[in-house]
Amino acid sequence: MNIQLIDGHFSPRESLDLITRMIHVKISFHEEKIRDAKTEEDVKMRESRIRQLQRDLYEIRNQLQNRTEAVDLTSSIELT
């Protein structure tokens, strides 16, 4: 099963808003899991993932900051 979440042309501002919201949802997910974590290894893995998502968002923000033309975004979830 495949769920198409995003597929279209967006302004740089809209693109950044969509991406930011999606990344924040994923960060919140990991933060909740950290609160319920049973092992230090799980906490460290999730903290590492949060830092990576934050770095990715920073890089995307920098790329979109000076862009004026529309951005193509595609995002889907594939259940296997």
Side-chain angles (χ1 to χ4, degrees), residues 22-72:
M22 292 182 77
I23 289 176
H24 282 171
V25 167
K26 187 63 177 182
I27 288 172
S28 292
F29 172 81
H30 284 296
E31 288 172 340
E32 286 179 31
K33 294 297 183 179
I34 286 172
R35 284 191 286 276
D36 298 332
K38 304 279 191 262
T39 66
E40 185 71 22
E41 182 180 313
D42 190 35
V43 170
K44 287 181 181 181
M45 181 275 301
R46 292 184 186 282
E47 287 174 339
S48 175
R49 184 64 182 127
I50 289 170
R51 285 191 300 275
Q52 182 60 52
L53 288 165
Q54 290 168 332
R55 283 190 297 269
D56 292 343
L57 181 56
Y58 176 79
E59 289 178 25
I60 289 168
R61 185 174 288 126
N62 286 338
Q63 288 182 15
L64 293 174
Q65 189 171 9
N66 297 320
R67 194 167 176 154
T68 56
E69 65 275 358
V71 176
D72 292 332

Side-chain angles (χ1 to χ4, degrees), residues 3-8 10 13-31 49-50 52-54 56-57 60-61 72-78:
I3 302 168
Q4 190 68 39
L5 296 176
I6 301 172
D7 187 16
F10 301 91
R13 178 179 287 243
E14 292 170 326
S15 298
L16 182 57
D17 187 38
L18 277 168
I19 294 166
T20 299
R21 289 174 190 231
M22 292 182 77
I23 289 176
H24 282 171
V25 167
K26 187 63 177 182
I27 288 172
S28 292
F29 172 81
H30 284 296
E31 288 172 340
R49 184 64 182 127
I50 289 170
Q52 182 60 52
L53 288 165
Q54 290 168 332
D56 292 343
L57 181 56
I60 289 168
R61 185 174 288 126
D72 292 332
L73 292 182
T74 305
S75 176
S76 64
I77 297 173
E78 183 178 340

